[in-house]
Amino acid sequence: MYKKIKVQPLAGALGAEIFGIDLSTEIDAATLAEVRQAHLEHLVIFFRDQNASDLDLARFACNFGELAMLPPHRQVPGNFPELLVIDKKPEGTLVFGWEWHTDTSHLEIPPLGSVLAARILPSVGGDTLFANQYMAYDTLSSGMKEMLKDLRAVHSNGRILASLAVDDILPPGQDCSAQATLSSVHPVVRTHPDTGKKALYVNVMHTERFENMTVSESAPLLKYLYDHATRPEFSCRFRWQPRSIAFWDNRCCQHLALADYPGQRRLMHRVQIRGTKPI
Ligand code: SIN
């Protein structure tokens, strides 16, 4: 089925390594079509040994849509404004993305996907975990599916802003406490615009409560869904190497950056592709 690239699945649930492609060059249309297919099929794809600059990352991402702009407090002067620098310094304690989430689901239009490149890695640790949210939905009982069918949930960046404020991981001179809390309401089960499949769409980092319910009323069912959504059999784990790149689909998978390398640095560069409103 794949003629231009080699696609090697990483786990039963999701994730595949892609071979036979150089992301520092223009990719021809036939190869790109296969990469797109592999991304839809495996939800997160990985590339090894890539000499891709930040601009190469951006050019690769642009094959899948417009780049998503970063809020001003996340931009680093001297870089292009869509480039997120994730720099966990040796003295830092907070690992960006430390709990299960899908990226920036507090936005009205969350990103389609994220492209993340390893720049400096700890000697060991710092893997990223991913979980398949189609499987999370499909394995719910018919009764639970019926109950979730019309539910919507409020997502916010409040928890992240609070964490960033206590751990100085922002560029010098930028103050997180000045950032506004943003929130959006999304369906609890979303339909992927390309595959037409249903995926569970709540995550512990951003989801606050169900619409028209209180936080405490929502908490027990949300806790069940968070635990269910990230069951080990729905997941894969990526071990980074220098020059590795990951490209995940935020519409159908969650991820978590493992915080298991205290005292060491991990520097990652990320760009995101603009998505569509979840429906
Ligand atoms: C993220 O949550 O986007 C970062 C993931 C990582 O650093 O592994």
Side-chain angles (χ1 to χ4, degrees):
M1 171 173 172
Y2 293 101
K3 297 198 171 74
K4 297 284 193 172
I5 55 174
K6 183 170 163 226
V7 177
Q8 195 167 298
L10 191 68
L14 78 168
E17 289 189 289
I18 307 295
F19 299 96
I21 187 165
D22 176 358
L23 300 191
S24 70
T25 61
E26 283 289 348
I27 302 167
D28 65 82
T31 305
L32 202 55
E34 292 195 359
V35 173
R36 196 183 305 278
Q37 179 58 34
H39 189 244
L40 290 175
E41 194 177 336
H42 296 281
L43 288 58
V44 53
I45 52 180
F46 306 103
F47 306 89
R48 298 283 191 192
D49 300 319
Q50 298 291 325
N51 286 313
S53 67
D54 294 335
L55 286 174
D56 292 330
L57 287 187
R59 190 191 42 211
F60 172 67
C62 281
N63 288 310
F64 300 87
E66 231 177 277
L67 290 190
M69 185 61 86
L70 287 177
H73 73 282
R74 301 295 311 186
Q75 295 175 15
V76 178
N79 290 339
F80 56 88
E82 296 92 352
L83 183 76
L84 179 71
V85 174
I86 301 172
D87 193 358
K88 195 294 211 172
K89 305 241 169 46
E91 64 278 15
T93 52
L94 184 78
V95 167
F96 181 89
W98 77 103
E99 56 186 359
W100 283 105
H101 64 287
T102 174
D103 288 326
T104 52
S105 63
H106 59 280
L107 299 178
E108 204 185 336
I109 303 194
L112 171 161
S114 306
V115 181
L116 183 70
R119 298 301 189 210
I120 297 175
L121 292 171
S123 54
V124 66
D127 296 353
T128 306
L129 277 55
F130 296 86
N132 182 330
Q133 300 306 286
Y134 295 136
M135 277 185 173
Y137 174 75
D138 289 343
T139 51
L140 293 170
S141 65
S142 55
M144 180 62 89
K145 285 180 181 155
E146 183 61 27
M147 185 161 78
L148 299 182
K149 186 163 62 80
D150 298 317
L151 280 186
R152 287 155 53 84
V154 179
H155 296 237
S156 123
N157 61 347
R159 262 161 76 83
I160 299 195
L161 288 181
S163 323
L164 292 177
V166 295
D167 192 296
D168 185 21
I169 65 168
L170 285 177
Q174 300 207 5
D175 178 8
C176 225
S177 57
Q179 304 309 315
T181 303
L182 298 174
S183 66
S184 296
V185 180
H186 299 304
V188 168
V189 177
R190 71 178 290 185
T191 304
H192 194 289
D194 297 326
T195 64
K197 293 190 332 195
K198 289 186 170 162
L200 198 55
Y201 196 65
V202 288
N203 67 87
V204 67
M205 186 174 263
H206 298 102
T207 312
E208 275 186 7
R209 59 185 175 83
F210 295 112
E211 188 181 38
N212 302 325
M213 293 191 206
T214 66
V215 169
S216 44
E217 284 168 344
S218 308
L221 179 53
L222 281 176
K223 162 99 174 65
Y224 172 79
L225 294 175
Y226 299 150
D227 291 347
H228 173 78
T230 56
R231 274 163 49 177
E233 63 270 36
F234 304 156
S235 76
C236 74
R237 175 173 180 153
F238 185 61
R239 179 153 295 173
W240 294 91
Q241 290 167 356
R243 300 190 306 283
S244 297
I245 292 176
F247 173 26
W248 62 85
D249 190 332
N250 278 305
R251 302 163 297 182
C252 54
C253 67
Q254 293 200 43
H255 59 282
L256 170 154
L258 211 53
D260 63 348
Y261 53 99
Q264 297 196 65
R265 188 171 182 206
R266 181 176 181 270
L267 174 68
M268 313 292 280
H269 284 182
R270 188 183 84 181
V271 290
Q272 290 185 316
I273 302 146
R274 206 175 142 77
T276 50
K277 194 167 168 47
I279 48 170

